[in-house]
Amino acid sequence: MDLTSRVQLHTGNEMPVMGLGTWQLTTNTAETVARALELRYPMIDTSGDYGTQPGIGEGIRRHGARRSDFYLVTKVEETDDAYEATKKNLEELGLDHADLMLIHRPPSSGPGDELWRGLIRARDDGLTRDIGVSNYSSDLIDALIEATGEVPVVNQIEWSPFGHDMALKHHSDANGIVLQAYSPLTRASRLDDHRLRDIGEKHGKSPAQVLIRWNLQRGTVPLPKANRKEHLEENIDVFGFALDEDDLRTLEDLNEHYSSLGTLPYV
Ligand SMILES: NC(=O)c1ccc[n+]([C@@H]2O[C@H](COP(=O)([O-])OP(=O)(O)OC[C@H]3O[C@@H](n4cnc5c(N)ncnc54)[C@H](OP(=O)(O)O)[C@@H]3O)[C@@H](O)[C@H]2O)c1
């Protein structure tokens, strides 16, 4: 596995195995994105409500990346008209299509079939190659599929050794849905955990690199965010080592359904 590796989506399209998160990357966004592309980050994750889309577009243009050099994920909000919001996001980014559009969160009532129909239309009109969801439980995904017949390619959720749910992973695998891991570094709140540090020391790697590698080896797709240059560099230097079975077991045992939001919305 390396930075050019791809995961297969059920539509036949492919997605990179990791990407850059950009929530709160509102300082020097263009410079950071241009640097990430220089470092060969293959994917960028954003949302209509992050305020980072214009800076991401500027970073892409500054770097001179071709459209095929990067995979772009963005999201519509639960109160949006999904089709119109997709067009607005693309305008802010200065792109003619996204690779993946997500419903950011399920609306308070029901699975969001109206939003989903808007994204299906956006996909059919070529505004995005694939469509998916974020923060969805298994029940909500089942309800969305039942209402529309369309299976999301991705569910983007908070996911780390400290907070994850294998029942959701099994449900996703059974439906051919790939899990993207947000807050994969626990927003830096658990990086000093001694069990994590011990595994890192064994491999000559940092706690953040262990967390990213855990996702890569488990088939979930991490989206670590980093403003700092040294963090950007460290977080993609994860392809030259492998966690062993003991490490993976120790990491699974850290699960306490931890969430930087308070509770994991999908459990
Ligand atoms: N769909 C959703 O509802 C949802 C929700 C939350 C997040 N997300 C997505 O997932 C992305 C990642 O999640 P996140 O931003 O919440 O948190 P995260 O990636 O878990 O953590 C980011 C924090 O970790 C620090 N950091 C990065 N690399 C590090 C390293 N190697 N060593 C030590 N500290 C390091 C960053 O510092 P610096 O920035 O100072 O470098 C930042 O403070 C978001 O940016 C967003 O794209 C989606």
Side-chain angles (χ1 to χ4, degrees):
M1 195 194 303
D2 61 29
L3 266 180
T4 65
S5 299
R6 297 289 181 266
V7 290
Q8 195 74 37
L9 303 175
H10 71 68
T11 53
N13 294 327
E14 294 182 332
M15 183 175 74
V17 291
M18 69 174 288
L20 175 72
T22 68
W23 179 66
Q24 290 194 328
L25 203 145
T26 43
T27 315
N28 302 326
T29 312
E31 190 187 323
T32 308
V33 167
R35 181 173 290 135
L37 291 169
E38 191 66 41
L39 291 166
R40 297 180 44 244
Y41 271 81
M43 171 158 60
I44 300 166
D45 176 70
T46 184
S47 176
D49 69 347
Y50 289 179
T52 54
Q53 295 189 131
I56 291 169
E58 172 60 27
I60 291 167
R61 288 186 293 280
R62 215 180 269 182
H63 177 265
R66 290 168 307 175
R67 186 62 188 84
S68 55
D69 290 340
F70 61 91
Y71 188 100
L72 195 286
V73 187
T74 184
K75 315 182 188 85
V76 298
E77 305 309 308
E78 57 271 39
T79 50
D80 281 340
D81 171 323
Y83 187 85
E84 292 304 321
T86 299
K87 287 204 296 190
K88 182 164 177 285
N89 286 352
L90 293 173
E91 265 165 43
E92 284 189 13
L93 286 157
L95 297 176
D96 65 2
H97 73 280
D99 294 288
L100 178 62
M101 286 297 313
L102 305 177
I103 299 176
H104 202 161
R105 298 170 205 88
S108 50
S109 60
D113 17 321
E114 263 322 292
L115 285 162
W116 197 228
R117 288 198 179 87
L119 287 192
I120 292 170
R121 195 176 138 222
R123 195 249 343 257
D124 292 348
D125 283 358
L127 301 179
T128 182
R129 296 179 75 211
D130 279 301
I131 56 176
V133 296
S134 178
N135 297 303
Y136 271 58
S137 65
S138 311
D139 287 350
L140 281 171
I141 286 182
D142 287 343
L144 197 63
I145 297 171
E146 167 121 20
T148 63
E150 184 84 29
V151 181
V153 296
V154 156
N155 188 12
Q156 184 183 116
I157 50 171
E158 184 167 356
W159 192 262
S160 76
F162 299 94
H164 59 279
D165 179 41
M166 288 316 290
L168 180 68
K169 173 83 168 81
H170 295 141
H171 178 273
S172 303
D173 289 347
N175 283 283
I177 298 168
V178 176
L179 293 181
Q180 282 188 335
Y182 76 64
S183 308
L185 307 179
T186 66
R187 297 191 179 163
S189 69
R190 297 299 175 96
L191 297 182
D192 58 357
D193 185 283
H194 68 91
R195 295 156 296 185
L196 199 53
R197 268 207 324 260
D198 288 348
I199 295 174
E201 275 167 21
K202 181 169 132 189
H203 296 282
K205 292 288 172 184
S206 71
Q209 288 170 316
V210 171
L211 292 178
I212 294 166
R213 185 74 204 179
W214 174 77
N215 274 291
L216 294 175
Q217 288 185 222
R218 286 295 192 227
T220 46
V221 175
L223 302 167
K225 175 260 181 186
N227 247 108
R228 276 177 258 182
K229 185 170 176 286
E230 59 273 24
H231 288 165
L232 272 181
E233 289 170 355
E234 187 177 307
N235 295 348
I236 55 160
D237 180 18
V238 287
F239 296 98
F241 79 110
L243 300 168
D244 60 34
E245 281 307 317
D246 279 351
D247 301 332
L248 292 169
R249 256 193 307 276
T250 303
L251 291 166
E252 304 295 343
D253 285 346
L254 298 180
N255 195 10
E256 53 184 78
H257 291 126
Y258 167 80
S259 167
S260 55
L261 302 168
T263 52
L264 290 172
Y266 55 82
V267 173

